[in-house]
């Protein structure tokens, strides 16, 4: 086998379920060569999607590592990032506590304000020097509350920054290397077809960069949409499209930044047979053009489009032969 | 770029956020209106309280006053920073109008009227002097007849025959005659198409005169006399008595439309009873009674001043209170020298360039030092008590001397601003709730954005920008609403009154000012707008943090 583009080594994933633990993946091994079309099959709840998310840098394994061109996708890049990752683990319970306090503190302030509004006519009617101290006291309490809220918000912002630093590599991979197609399309309902595709390009650059690349990005988006047969539906919103069309938009969005690996999670799972065949036809064409694809499915007929089919059972991957 | 793009898209598409924008708009407008009205009120109180003071006030907080004021005024008159200075005497007395049995305690202020005109804006506060310039003075004078006829014009005694005032054979003294002619010309010009100076309208004889005059922008007619014009009368009549200026709230009643209903005609006889005190603040048991003529009334706008102050000539009050120069005698009754005259206060106007707070402060120090140097000056033979009085003299700026009037208004302004500011937190809480709700609704979209490359910080920033955009939009609309409301606040009230007179918010019988004071202070408006943006951004933080911390896989699986 040629050099692996994507490699999973001993991937394990455990979900804490209250006091118990659900071990979904137990040392999965996978090598995907460039241009290969791999299908992963398995029963519902077997962990196919979880594995796909880990491969696509959307989730983190509890054991093992994922290598892209031989480089780990989850390795901490620097001391700061390692510290961030460590703090990220430690800060989880603290963050929950702070969010709780912050939320209820502000809600308590809201109630206090409503009470003040109700009391306002009386305060104005009886505004006297004797009320000065209570009113300033209320002002002081409000200022202290606001100060405390700011402090807590500041702490959370620091944590947000740390998380942001820790996930920089994964975000970069999602922007440039991977393209996702989901079972339920996952289009943004506020955006039209063209915008749903171009937003993927927007994540790659800042405001100035976008104004430089806007024209080319839109042109590419139109080209990709024409390839998937939606060149005439650019201004339509997702709710005006059929399921098959939505999935083709999702496919266009995944392809617009020319990803090295296309990850498809049950791409036909929500479509009728005809629409499913269309989508798989598109994927097959992409594969012929050299696109590396990793697809998760439970449908034999869909898996048949792949070069290689793997079965995920008992948390491990094994070669499978289609019936 | 996706952050700004999604922010703007959500701002347009999520209509529930319009409520948050409306809340910010109303809060900004509310705080701006309150700040503007209270700030305008404070400015007007300060301006009008200043009307009775100079830039600097020299005082010694002693009822007996202090000597050597004229020497001081003469000396500082040569300083380039000083424009004018005038002495003032403060005392207390009892006024009495025999015709109406009105009486009351007042603070009697002795002033040199021409000098006071130079030092402060007292002249602007006078009613008759404003409309009929150079007719108000505090010297001895008779009662002028014009100006009092309820059925006729205040100045023109011309009746239906068109006879002029001179027809009665009594030419007025020059300032009165000039004022008369001026007013007649003004009236003739104001009345469309006619030079008929007769105010009485033959077509509608019952038209209330003041309304008729108000229509032509002329001053209302004071008084209640009804003259029999067919009977020749003297232009000026009665004994010549010194003039007394009253605080307007003593001699007039403020009507609900802001005008004043004066109880007395100009020149009405009034008696003032004073109690002289010695330099040791011992009250003379024999009261001093002096008849005056009511020559004018002053309105500073500060009720405490307008309802409790009367103003007479400085020299006359000094003589009445025995504060003038006197012989100093020993126990044997032999004259051993002279005691200098005293005043209660010196008001000083400084040159415009010297009116900065720093220069005023330095000047007050110099003035105090000058006055205290008189203690060691061999030219003046001061006794022990006089030395004590001079030693107590201090100089302060007009703001410092009137702090007792401004401080409550400043405190009320701060208080009301804090109160409305606290209420404005409702907008913050509303933004928090609405954005939190949007984040919950958009959980899956957040997962999608993260899956296609949105970072934790980026997703959080979408909602921070969202809150900021709500704040900016609300602040801009609120500032516009507030400025439009404040600028037209009096017109809005006029409109409400036209609908229902009971809806008058600013009752002129209660408040000192004719119009609702309002002045949009640009720094205040900018501060309120920025605070609104900051508050809205703060309100979005919780939602933003929740969105940012959302795990992409969990978010994608959200139902």
């Amino acid at each position: 086998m040629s050099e692996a583009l994507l490699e999973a080594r001993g991937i394990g994933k455990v979900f804490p379920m209250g006091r118990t633990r659900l071990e979904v993946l137990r040392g999965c091994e996978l090598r995907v060569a460039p241009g290969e079309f791999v299908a992963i099959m398995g029963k519902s709840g077997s962990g196919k999607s979880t594995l796909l998310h880990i491969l696509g840098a959307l989730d983190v394994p509890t054991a093992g590592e994922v290598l892209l061109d031989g480089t780990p996708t989850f390795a901490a890049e620097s001391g700061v990032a390692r510290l961030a990752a460590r703090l990220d683990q430690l800060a989880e319970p603290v963050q929950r506590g702070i969010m709780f306090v912050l939320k209820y503190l502000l809600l308590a302030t809201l109630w206090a304000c409503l009470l003040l509004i109700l009391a306002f006519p009386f305060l104005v009617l009886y505004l006297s020097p004797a009320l000065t101290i209570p009113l300033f006291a209320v002002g002081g309490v409000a200022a202290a509350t606001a100060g405390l809220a700011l402090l807590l918000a500041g702490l959370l912002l620091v944590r947000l920054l740390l998380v942001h630093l820790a996930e920089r590599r994964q975000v970069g991979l999602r922007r440039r290397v991977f393209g996702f197609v989901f079972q339920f399309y996952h289009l943004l309902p506020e955006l039209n077809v063209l915008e749903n595709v171009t937003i993927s390009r927007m994540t790659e650059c800042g405001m100035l960069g976008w104004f430089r690349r806007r024209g080319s990005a839109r042109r590419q988006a139109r080209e990709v949409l024409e390839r998937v047969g939606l060149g005439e539906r650019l201004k339509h919103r997702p709710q005006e499209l059929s399921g098959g069309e939505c999935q083709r938009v999702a496919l266009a969005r995944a392809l617009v930044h020319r990803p090295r690996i296309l990850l498809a999670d049950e791409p036909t799972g929500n479509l009728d047979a005809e629409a499913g065949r269309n989508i798989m036809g598109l994927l097959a064409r992409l594969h012929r053009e050299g696109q590396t694809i990793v697809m998760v499915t439970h449908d034999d007929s869909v898996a048949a489009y792949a070069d290689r089919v793997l079965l995920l059972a008992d948390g491990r991957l094994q070669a499978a032969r289609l019936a | 770029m996706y952050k700004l793009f999604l922010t703007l898209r959500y701002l347009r598409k999520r209509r529930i956020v319009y409520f948050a924008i409306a809340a910010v708009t109303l809060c900004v407008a509310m705080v701006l209106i309150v700040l503007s009205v209270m700030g305008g009120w404070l400015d007007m109180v300060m301006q009008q309280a200043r009307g009775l003071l100079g830039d600097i006030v020299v005082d010694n907080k002693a009822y007996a006053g202090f000597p050597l004021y004229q020497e001081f005024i003469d000396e500082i008159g040569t300083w380039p920073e000083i424009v004018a200075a005038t002495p003032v005497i403060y005392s207390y007395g009892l006024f009495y109008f025999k015709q109406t049995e009105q009486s009351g305690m007042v603070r009697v202020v002795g002033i040199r009227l021409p000098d006071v005109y130079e030092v402060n804006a007292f002249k602007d506060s006078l009613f008759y002097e404003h409309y009929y310039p150079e007719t108000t003075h505090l010297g001895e004078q008779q009662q002028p007849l014009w100006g009092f006829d309820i059925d006729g014009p205040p100045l023109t005694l011309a009746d239906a025959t068109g006879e002029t005032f001179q027809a009665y054979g009594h030419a007025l003294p020059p300032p009165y005659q000039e004022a008369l002619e001026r007013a007649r010309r003004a009236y003739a010009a104001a009345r469309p198409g006619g030079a008929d100076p007769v105010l009485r309208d033959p077509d509608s004889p019952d038209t209330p005169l003041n309304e008729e005059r108000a229509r032509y922008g002329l001053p209302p007619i004071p008084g209640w006399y009804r003259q029999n014009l067919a009977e020749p009368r003297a232009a000026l009549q009665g004994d010549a008595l010194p003039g007394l200026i009253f605080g307007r709230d003593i001699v007039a009643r403020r009507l609900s439309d802001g005008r004043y209903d004066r109880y007395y005609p100009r020149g009405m006889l009034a008696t003032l009873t004073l109690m002289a005190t010695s330099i040791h603040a011992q009250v003379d048991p024999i009261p001093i009674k002096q008849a005056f003529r009511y020559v004018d009334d002053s309105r500073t706008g500060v009720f405490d001043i307008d309802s409790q102050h009367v103003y007479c000539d400085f020299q006359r009050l000094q003589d009445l209170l025995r504060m003038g120069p006197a012989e100093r005698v020993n126990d044997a009754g032999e004259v051993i020298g002279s005691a200098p005259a005293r005043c209660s206060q010196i008001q000083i106007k400084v040159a415009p360039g010297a009116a900065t707070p720093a220069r005023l402060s330095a000047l007050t120090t110099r003035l105090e030092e000058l006055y205290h140097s008189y203690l060691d000056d061999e030219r003046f033979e001061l006794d022990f008590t006089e030395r004590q009085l001079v030693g107590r003299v201090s100089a302060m700026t007009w703001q410092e001397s009137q702090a007792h009037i401004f401080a409550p208004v400043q405190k009320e302004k701060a208080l009301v601003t804090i109160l409305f500011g606290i209420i404005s937190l409702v907008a913050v809480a509303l933004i928090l709730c609405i954005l939190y709700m949007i984040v919950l609704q958009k959980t899956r979209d957040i997962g999608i954005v993260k899956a296609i490359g949105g970072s934790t910080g980026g997703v959080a920033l979408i909602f921070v920008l969202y809150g900021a955009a709500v704040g900016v939009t609300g602040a801009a609309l609120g500032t516009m609403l507030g400025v439009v409301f404040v600028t037209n606040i009096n017109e809005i009230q006029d409109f409400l009154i036209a609908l229902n007179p009971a809806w008058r918010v600013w009752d002129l019988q209660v408040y000192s000012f004719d119009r609702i004071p309002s002045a949009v202070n640009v720094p205040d408006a900018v501060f309120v707008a920025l605070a609104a943006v900051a508050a809205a951004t703060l309100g979005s933080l919780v939602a933003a943090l929740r969105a940012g911390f959302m795990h992409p896989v969990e978010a994608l699986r959200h139902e």
Side-chain angles (χ1 to χ4, degrees), chain B residues 313-477:
Chain B
D313 182 61
F314 175 82
Q315 189 70 49
R316 185 171 300 277
L317 186 63
Q318 194 178 49
D319 292 343
L320 288 170
L321 297 174
R322 292 170 211 146
M323 291 174 77
E327 290 177 337
R328 216 191 290 281
V329 293
N330 63 12
D331 294 341
E334 295 165 341
V335 176
I336 55 168
S338 63
R342 285 170 284 127
C343 75
S344 307
Q345 194 179 70
I346 299 169
Q347 295 177 0
I348 300 168
K349 181 178 178 62
V350 303
T356 60
R359 295 191 66 183
L360 277 180
S361 176
L363 196 55
T364 54
T365 310
R366 273 179 68 201
L367 290 167
E368 269 184 29
E369 285 170 0
L370 173 66
Y371 225 112
H372 293 157
S373 73
Y374 291 166
L375 291 171
D376 304 320
D377 196 322
E378 291 177 355
R379 288 179 297 163
F380 312 121
E381 294 173 358
L382 301 175
D383 66 11
F384 177 76
T385 311
E386 288 160 351
R387 289 181 66 81
Q388 293 281 79
L389 292 174
V390 170
R392 286 177 56 84
V393 167
S394 64
M396 61 187 100
T397 62
W398 68 275
Q399 290 102 326
E400 289 167 348
S401 70
Q402 294 296 295
H404 63 287
I405 292 177
F406 310 146
V409 183
Q410 280 169 330
K411 192 187 274 187
E412 281 170 34
K413 182 185 175 190
L415 210 62
V416 174
T417 307
I418 287 174
L419 213 54
F420 277 90
I422 292 171
I423 292 169
S424 300
L425 281 178
V426 172
V428 178
L430 195 67
I431 290 168
L432 165 76
C433 295
I434 289 175
L435 289 195
Y436 204 82
M437 206 164 75
I438 290 174
V439 166
L440 292 181
Q441 286 176 350
K442 291 276 153 201
T443 298
R444 187 182 283 190
D445 291 8
I446 290 165
I448 297 168
V449 172
K450 286 198 163 187
I452 60 173
S455 63
T456 295
V459 169
L461 199 58
I462 291 173
F463 290 91
V464 172
L465 285 175
Y466 201 13
V470 167
V472 168
T473 314
L477 292 174

Side-chain angles (χ1 to χ4, degrees), chain B residues 254-273:
Chain B
R254 193 169 166 83
L255 303 173
S256 58
D257 61 2
R259 288 182 297 173
Y260 280 86
D261 175 18
R262 286 177 170 72
Y263 310 140
Y264 312 107
R266 192 179 196 186
M268 174 60 89
L269 195 69
T271 310
L272 198 60
T273 305

Side-chain angles (χ1 to χ4, degrees), chain B residues 3 37 120 144 202 223 237 260 324 371 389 457 460 503 540:
Chain B
K3 300 173 271 267
V37 171
N120 59 36
Q237 71 170 16
Y260 280 86
Y371 225 112
L389 292 174
W503 290 349
S540 70

Side-chain angles (χ1 to χ4, degrees), chain A residues 168-184:
Chain A
R168 268 189 307 179
R169 179 162 166 74
Q170 290 95 297
V171 170
L173 293 174
R174 295 202 292 261
R175 284 177 185 171
R176 286 181 287 274
V177 176
F178 299 113
F180 277 98
V181 179
F182 300 100
Q183 180 181 356
F184 297 103

Side-chain angles (χ1 to χ4, degrees), chain A residues 103-279:
Chain A
K103 195 162 68 179
Y104 287 98
L105 202 61
L106 286 177
L107 285 177
T109 310
L110 170 67
W111 278 109
C113 290
L114 288 175
L115 281 175
L116 259 179
I117 291 169
L118 292 175
F120 187 68
F122 301 100
L123 290 175
V124 171
L125 278 177
Y126 299 105
L127 197 63
S128 71
L131 272 173
T132 307
I133 293 172
L135 281 179
F136 273 102
V138 169
V141 169
T145 308
L148 187 59
L150 273 177
L151 180 70
L152 295 177
L155 287 173
L156 283 178
L157 283 176
V158 170
R159 165 155 154 64
L160 190 82
L161 184 66
L162 292 175
V163 173
H164 185 79
L165 285 174
E167 63 164 28
R168 268 189 307 179
R169 179 162 166 74
Q170 290 95 297
V171 170
L173 293 174
R174 295 202 292 261
R175 284 177 185 171
R176 286 181 287 274
V177 176
F178 299 113
F180 277 98
V181 179
F182 300 100
Q183 180 181 356
F184 297 103
Y185 338 124
H186 289 337
L187 301 177
L188 296 172
E190 279 85 4
L191 312 187
N192 63 30
V193 166
L194 184 63
E195 289 165 342
N196 260 297
V197 176
T198 48
I199 192 146
S200 178
R201 296 299 310 276
M202 286 185 194
T203 60
E204 295 172 17
C205 48
M207 197 183 298
L208 289 177
W210 173 249
F211 282 114
R212 276 202 307 270
R213 297 187 212 162
R214 185 173 50 178
S216 65
R218 285 195 179 148
R219 196 170 52 249
Q220 280 173 7
R222 280 199 194 94
E223 284 169 10
V224 176
L225 282 165
E226 278 166 12
R227 276 179 69 193
V228 298
L230 287 172
E232 306 298 316
R233 312 291 299 268
L234 301 181
K235 297 292 176 188
H236 287 238
R237 301 207 174 268
Q239 50 272 35
E240 296 163 358
L241 304 177
S242 68
E245 287 169 331
C246 281
Q247 194 61 296
R248 280 189 275 159
V249 176
L251 185 60
R253 181 181 64 190
L255 293 172
V256 72
H257 61 286
R258 298 194 178 107
R260 295 181 66 193
I261 303 167
L262 183 67
L263 302 168
D265 186 359
E266 306 261 16
T268 59
N270 205 36
L271 303 177
D272 58 38
E274 176 65 25
R277 274 196 297 280
N278 282 339
I279 288 294

